[in-house]
Amino acid sequence: MYDEVANYMREVTAKFTVDVEQGFEPYQTEAVAFHFHIDRTRASRILNELVKENILLKINTRPVCFLHRETIEENYGSLENSIFDSFDAFKNELETDKAEGIFSQLIGFEKSLKEALQQIKTSIYYPDNGLPLMLLGPTGVGKTFLAKLIYDYSRVKKVIAEDAPFHVFNCALYANNPELLTSYLFGHSKGSFTGAIKDQMGLIEQANQGILFLDEVHRLDREGQEKLFTFMDQGTFSRMGETNVVRKSKVRLIFATTENLSVFLETFLRRIPITVNVPSLEERGQTEKSQFIQHFFTEECKLLGIPIHVTNKVLDILNKYNYTGNIGDCKNIIKYACGCAFSKKTKNKDEISVTLQELPGQIYKNSPQLFDNYASKEGGVLFHPYKKKQILHVNETKINQMEQTYRNCLGYFSKLENNEWKEPEFLEKCTEEITAMMDNLIFERPNESKSFMMEFNLSSIQDIFRYLEAQYHIKYDGNSVYTLSSYLFFKSHPFILNKQDEILTKQMLQFIKKQYKVEYLIVAKIMSFIEKRMELNLDNEDIILMTLFLCKSQIQHHDNRVKAMIIAHGYATASSIANVCNRLLGEKVYDFIDMPVNSSIKDIKQQMLKYMEENDTSNGLVVLVDMGSLSLLHDQIKEAIEGPLLCIDQVSTSSALEIGNYLSQGKSIEEIVKPLEQFVQPNINLYYPLKRKEYAIVTSCFTGIGTAAQFQQLLSESMEDLLDIKVVSHDFQRLKENGINEPPLKIYDVLAIVATANPGIEGINFISLEDIISGKGENDVFKIFEKIAPPETIRKVNDRIIKNFSLRRVIDSLTILDTEKVISKVEEGIKQLENQLRQKLPNDKKIALFVHVSCMIERLIRKSPISEYPNQEAFEREHKKEISMIKNAFSVLEKTYSVQMNMAEIGYIFNIINQI
């Protein structure tokens, strides 16, 4: 549907003109909804997603107007923005200089072609009729394409009329027949030669007030050149066979040749004052060559209408191959490879792959050495149709490999969330992927002696690890230094993630923080140093990949015990006690803060808050203070406490040693307190966190975390700006098995669980999704929120929930299917089921079936059905009759959507019918 809408918007935008008086109806949401027979909400969602993908432009007129970006840019030049506050703002950006956007289509317009374009503009702007122009360059460099852009530029700049003619003629076609060639150029009169049965206008005449492009002009004979330079001199000519007739034509002439200019008559060349050298593909440099390759694959995507995956091996060979036919040769080779790949496409694949097998044999025949030693070139790049052209950087191949690795890890996490995998399997697969990627990066990294940035990365990372080893007992090996340095060298910008991947990334990061806390804290410390010293900003995906990498590396961290801090007045009191104790204990147990006498408690508060932010104190924190105001420290930091806080007054070296001994043994706060009460006479105060847990609602669905995430979004929209409540999606099976011990229920004050089924957690309110959709859940909503919000606020929230959780809105949010059609077909299935059961199903069960079966259709279409069902063998054995009825009832869906239900999907439909 997204591609269909994009194509439709391309068609309607082709008719767009910058005219304030014109109507905007064809470009509005209603027009799209009407054209595709879908509801307005779904049309709006698709259009806005295409804006995010830079495929469409959005103009905030009333109503909103959408335009196809590439079509607009083809006609008016490149645009910086995708969203405009008004039509005037859009028009102003178009009119800055839309003509310049024409030449900006050219790869290398600011580099290899910069001088050529300056010469071309001189030719165009020269008074009266411009200057004749000669394009000089080998076959396949794009001379014809350049001539067409000169024509477009001249029209936009109003140098020639909008409807001015443009004619292209290849002189080589009739080089062996000079008379016919002359006839095509200048025309002929009736009877001037055998076969001339009527008067014929020539190209010189047809191109009057426009542009004539003569390619392979060196194929003109001496007489033809003489006639042309006479025309350039006087602007007059005669048709072939005419004697006393003199005709006039005002034509701008562009010539092109692959030959040395010495083949032309001197008198002819003198009439062409500007010769533009168009460089060959190899002369344009590796960066532009790579851009051409990327551009041609993108163009093939558009033509074939399907994503194309190209392996890194293929890209590397194409980048190193010497194209004898230049740009045209490169384009044809890529077209051939994509055609081969497309011919091998199977029905169940939604993309094609270009591998070494699809390359034409001429590449291997001409350059067999390019196919050697490619063991390290794994991975590839995925090109998408209708994506805006991007200029790729030298390291883009590495970026794509890293991004693909990350996407694979996201896929593994999704399997974990859906209970398809256990945690050990998830970690093993992720670290396998990441290790392979890191090995490749190390292998391909530049030699540090030849790359300043690589040398800087290595030196910085080594210094960071040395510091971490001294301060935090983090052991490391040299390979980890090289690995992370190489990763940072190649990672130049954030990965391009869609909305669902962004949601999954946040969930994965939260999972990793809790599951691999030790490794995460190491990365957090590394990240702090990297951002400060190396001026690199790390993204969430970097944190995830680096944390998972450390899970299998040689880095070890033994700093997960209760933390300890000594704070004392004086410039070196606390540090002296801490250093003595650490040395005698044989390890770093204490951190310290030296407090000058004139320091305030606020100064210490700031340092303590920073320390607690950078260290995991959830297992407990022991603070030893010397006297006075420091004993009030708890009042200053109590809001930030994450675990038990033990404050001990009147610190001394002996008491610090005794306490440090307990800590080094890994004792908990509670285990330390009892013996200290007998040994340490000063005040001992044990505090627990006072911070109120954040309110939250948990959404869940037995069909998977993806559906729960959509419920989460709809519920968040319902409470936005009204209630400060977190909405968290979580796995249903985990909630059912682990109950109150699952992370969301421990971290948050959970007000309710909104789900398709009740996980049965004692003390936690449950609201059925079916009740919300049917309107029965209103009382539950008021009951849940009454302790945190006034009735008028709850009423507003409830009204939004009713609006957002209509059956059509829910199904529209959960699927990409046509909502009207899918509801109609599911309804047929439900009626058939009721006939077989000989009873009417209650509304709550019908609603549950509408939601579940709609999602099921999409899962089956995408080839990702629910694959497991509890006690499936027993279910198949004991419920054969019910299974047969469900299959028969919903066979209408299998026929309509060409899918087939598996036993797990049938089992969950059985659950809904029987309220299991």
Side-chain angles (χ1 to χ4, degrees), residues 297-306 308 335 342 385-386:
F297 274 117
T298 303
E299 289 299 304
E300 288 303 307
C301 276
K302 294 176 185 178
L303 183 63
L304 298 174
I306 190 171
I308 300 175
K335 188 175 285 290
F342 190 76
Y386 311 122

Side-chain angles (χ1 to χ4, degrees), residues 451-503:
S451 169
F452 163 76
M453 190 52 65
M454 191 66 206
E455 183 180 13
F456 173 70
N457 283 1
L458 275 172
S459 174
S460 300
I461 295 295
Q462 195 160 40
D463 288 346
I464 291 169
F465 272 118
R466 283 172 180 162
Y467 176 81
L468 294 177
E469 183 177 36
Q471 295 295 318
Y472 300 101
H473 297 270
I474 295 172
K475 304 291 184 184
Y476 72 97
D477 66 348
N479 188 57
S480 299
V481 172
Y482 270 102
T483 301
L484 294 179
S485 300
S486 302
Y487 178 84
L488 295 173
F489 176 83
F490 287 114
K491 178 74 188 298
S492 57
H493 55 73
F495 298 150
I496 301 172
L497 304 176
N498 59 36
K499 193 172 183 180
Q500 187 59 42
D501 285 344
E502 288 175 359
I503 293 171

Side-chain angles (χ1 to χ4, degrees), residues 158-225:
K158 303 189 184 307
V159 172
I160 59 177
E162 179 66 27
D163 60 351
F166 175 67
H167 291 282
V168 178
F169 182 70
N170 191 326
C171 299
L173 295 176
Y174 303 99
N176 296 323
N177 192 333
E179 284 190 347
L180 193 55
L181 180 55
T182 302
S183 170
Y184 267 104
L185 286 177
F186 297 101
H188 61 260
S189 61
K190 181 178 178 181
S192 58
F193 58 87
T194 304
I197 60 175
K198 64 178 181 177
D199 291 344
Q200 179 65 49
M201 186 186 294
L203 290 172
I204 292 288
E205 208 168 343
Q206 294 175 40
N208 186 32
Q209 303 299 324
I211 293 177
L212 174 60
F213 173 56
L214 298 180
D215 199 7
E216 304 286 352
V217 71
H218 58 273
R219 303 302 295 270
L220 277 176
D221 65 2
R222 183 185 184 91
E223 185 181 351
Q225 291 183 46

Side-chain angles (χ1 to χ4, degrees), residues 196-399:
I197 60 175
K198 64 178 181 177
D199 291 344
Q200 179 65 49
M201 186 186 294
L203 290 172
I204 292 288
E205 208 168 343
Q206 294 175 40
N208 186 32
Q209 303 299 324
I211 293 177
L212 174 60
F213 173 56
L214 298 180
D215 199 7
E216 304 286 352
V217 71
H218 58 273
R219 303 302 295 270
L220 277 176
D221 65 2
R222 183 185 184 91
E223 185 181 351
Q225 291 183 46
E226 287 173 346
K227 286 185 178 181
L228 266 179
F229 77 64
T230 300
F231 170 71
M232 286 188 277
D233 276 347
Q234 302 172 9
T236 61
F237 67 98
S238 297
R239 292 179 182 175
M240 189 176 173
E242 291 180 335
T243 53
N244 298 318
V245 180
V246 177
R247 300 178 182 272
K248 289 186 177 183
S249 184
K250 191 174 183 181
V251 180
R252 290 170 177 259
L253 292 169
I254 303 173
F255 305 107
T257 181
T258 57
E259 299 297 311
N260 190 290
L261 296 181
S262 61
V263 302
F264 294 97
L265 295 174
E266 280 293 330
T267 48
F268 178 71
L269 285 179
R270 281 203 301 269
R271 272 73 176 180
I272 308 173
I274 298 179
T275 299
V276 176
N277 288 294
V278 185
S280 68
L281 184 57
E282 293 302 320
E283 289 172 332
R284 297 179 70 163
Q286 188 57 52
T287 299
E288 290 184 17
K289 187 176 181 181
S290 296
Q291 290 170 19
F292 274 112
I293 291 168
Q294 305 285 346
H295 170 72
F296 291 141
F297 274 117
T298 303
E299 289 299 304
E300 288 303 307
C301 276
K302 294 176 185 178
L303 183 63
L304 298 174
I306 190 171
I308 300 175
H309 180 269
V310 186
T311 67
N312 286 334
K313 293 181 182 180
V314 168
L315 285 174
D316 197 73
I317 286 172
L318 292 176
N319 274 285
K320 291 178 179 177
Y321 184 66
N322 188 355
Y323 299 93
T324 53
N326 290 291
I327 298 169
D329 191 15
C330 177
K331 180 178 181 178
N332 289 335
I333 285 174
I334 289 172
K335 188 175 285 290
Y336 173 89
C338 293
C340 283
F342 190 76
S343 68
K344 298 176 183 177
K345 177 184 174 297
T346 56
K347 289 184 179 179
N348 61 346
K349 293 191 75 173
D350 54 4
E351 65 180 51
I352 60 175
S353 294
V354 176
T355 67
L356 295 181
Q357 303 301 316
E358 281 68 53
L359 290 179
Q362 71 187 72
I363 295 184
Y364 182 78
K365 184 178 179 181
N366 296 337
S367 305
Q369 72 280 1
L370 295 179
F371 291 76
D372 298 335
N373 302 319
Y374 278 88
S376 62
K377 300 282 184 183
E378 301 302 325
V381 179
L382 188 64
F383 296 89
H384 290 274
Y386 311 122
K387 271 209 169 169
K388 191 180 177 186
K389 180 176 69 179
Q390 298 176 354
I391 294 177
L392 302 179
H393 300 283
V394 176
N395 289 337
E396 192 71 25
T397 302
K398 299 294 176 294
I399 295 287

Side-chain angles (χ1 to χ4, degrees), residues 639-650:
E639 295 297 327
I641 294 173
E642 295 180 346
L645 172 68
L646 181 62
C647 291
I648 302 172
D649 201 1
Q650 296 184 24

